[in-house]
Amino acid sequence: MEALTPNGEFVTIQGHKIHVYRTGDVNKPKLVFMAGSSTVSPVYDFKILYQKLSEHFRIIVVEKFGYGYSDIWEAPCDIDSLVSIQKQALDMLNEKGPYILLPHSMAGIEAIRWTQLYPDDISALIGIDMTSPISYSRWTDADIEKRKKLLGTLKKLGLYKLSTISKNDSLTKAEIKQLKLLQKRNAFNECYGREAEQVRKNSTIVGDAGYRKIPTLMFCSNGKQTFQNWIEDQKAFAEVMNAKLISYDCGHYIHHYKSAEMSREIEKFVSFLTVSAG
């Protein structure tokens, strides 16, 4: 029987294991990739993008509880716990900031909260079709229940899509096997559902705290795989942050379709930050 073979390291937090993947020169700018809701394996999901950046950056992927190779358990899903656990994992591995955060989708509110709670940790933000409190401002309890019901129905029918493989030619045969094993283990697990339950409350906390204006680059999809007013909300948050917004006509897992273009833009963005800091 095939076994899970983690490609990173584990740290133990509150008696449970968190998996962290790291590669690249520790003295290079540090990119921390943060996965969107229900991504079964962040370390493989982001590979198509980070492999194009690893020569010039320190790459870090923290897999939250319920994600990738990390343990599945009833970890707290309030926004401050979600952020502090990821920060603690990096601290335990002696990784030091400042970091550049690259959140995908729902991880956007976690990244914004990180800048609020630990401002000295974060030098810049690169959104990968990320959410913001603006994205959730129109959500109701009915919307949350609808999402939970959908996840439950898909789980019952076994219809989880391996979005990580779609348009992603970076994975080896061995990695695809690992991804499929992680799909079977992680899909629709309790962590995803409890994060969905908390998202409105978490988003309100982040929005009420105000935004720290830091250098920000945002990549935006065509919005067809997200929810209503997606592009308008992306533009609104970009305006708040005085961010550069780059839009592509592709799906929500934007890095699977536009990794070459995105890697070039990220290198230019960080190079400009480095020159400005100097």
Side-chain angles (χ1 to χ4, degrees), residues 110-154:
E110 297 170 26
I112 297 168
R113 188 59 170 166
W114 203 327
T115 71
Q116 295 168 343
L117 294 176
Y118 311 106
D120 292 340
D121 276 2
I122 312 303
S123 61
L125 185 63
I126 299 175
I128 303 176
D129 219 26
M130 65 177 281
T131 58
S132 73
I134 297 170
S135 309
Y136 295 110
S137 61
R138 285 178 293 275
W139 276 40
T140 64
D141 290 339
D143 292 319
I144 298 296
E145 288 302 315
K146 183 178 179 181
R147 176 173 173 80
K148 287 170 58 182
K149 185 176 180 180
L150 174 62
L151 287 173
T153 300
L154 292 174

Side-chain angles (χ1 to χ4, degrees), residues 3-140:
L4 291 175
T5 54
N7 58 354
E9 306 156 87
F10 287 106
V11 296
T12 300
I13 297 175
Q14 299 180 34
H16 298 273
K17 293 187 295 183
I18 284 274
H19 181 252
V20 182
Y21 173 79
R22 298 184 291 173
T23 189
D25 189 339
V26 69
N27 296 310
K28 300 287 187 180
K30 296 183 178 182
L31 305 182
V32 177
F33 289 80
M34 304 172 69
S37 174
S38 305
T39 299
V40 296
S41 177
V43 71
Y44 297 131
D45 173 70
F46 286 122
K47 185 186 175 186
I48 192 169
L49 179 56
Y50 68 64
Q51 70 172 5
K52 295 179 173 66
L53 296 164
S54 59
E55 181 180 352
H56 303 292
F57 298 95
R58 175 71 161 173
I59 303 298
I60 305 172
V61 184
V62 181
E63 298 192 311
K64 296 183 293 182
F65 289 118
Y67 291 70
Y69 294 102
S70 295
D71 285 353
I72 300 172
W73 77 290
E74 294 187 4
C77 289
D78 63 280
I79 190 66
D80 289 0
S81 294
L82 287 171
V83 173
S84 65
I85 288 171
Q86 293 175 78
K87 173 179 166 56
Q88 186 178 349
L90 296 182
D91 289 344
M92 293 175 71
L93 290 170
N94 293 315
E95 288 288 351
K96 307 296 181 185
Y99 307 114
I100 299 170
L101 300 181
L102 289 87
H104 176 237
S105 194
M106 196 170 78
I109 59 172
E110 297 170 26
I112 297 168
R113 188 59 170 166
W114 203 327
T115 71
Q116 295 168 343
L117 294 176
Y118 311 106
D120 292 340
D121 276 2
I122 312 303
S123 61
L125 185 63
I126 299 175
I128 303 176
D129 219 26
M130 65 177 281
T131 58
S132 73
I134 297 170
S135 309
Y136 295 110
S137 61
R138 285 178 293 275
W139 276 40
T140 64

Side-chain angles (χ1 to χ4, degrees), residues 145-213:
E145 288 302 315
K146 183 178 179 181
R147 176 173 173 80
K148 287 170 58 182
K149 185 176 180 180
L150 174 62
L151 287 173
T153 300
L154 292 174
K155 180 177 183 179
K156 187 179 296 184
L157 297 174
L159 295 178
Y160 192 88
K161 179 186 176 184
L162 268 180
S163 58
T164 302
I165 292 179
S166 175
K167 303 294 183 182
N168 187 347
D169 60 0
S170 67
L171 302 179
T172 66
K173 290 182 179 180
E175 288 170 339
I176 291 173
K177 286 183 179 179
Q178 286 291 298
L179 179 57
K180 290 180 177 179
L181 290 174
L182 290 168
Q183 177 206 13
K184 292 177 181 178
R185 192 193 76 147
N186 294 345
F188 313 107
N189 74 66
E190 61 197 33
C191 299
Y192 302 160
R194 287 186 294 103
E195 284 181 359
E197 290 175 354
Q198 293 265 32
V199 68
R200 274 188 69 212
K201 181 178 180 180
N202 285 343
S203 179
T204 299
I205 291 170
V206 174
D208 288 348
Y211 301 113
R212 177 182 169 226
K213 303 296 179 65

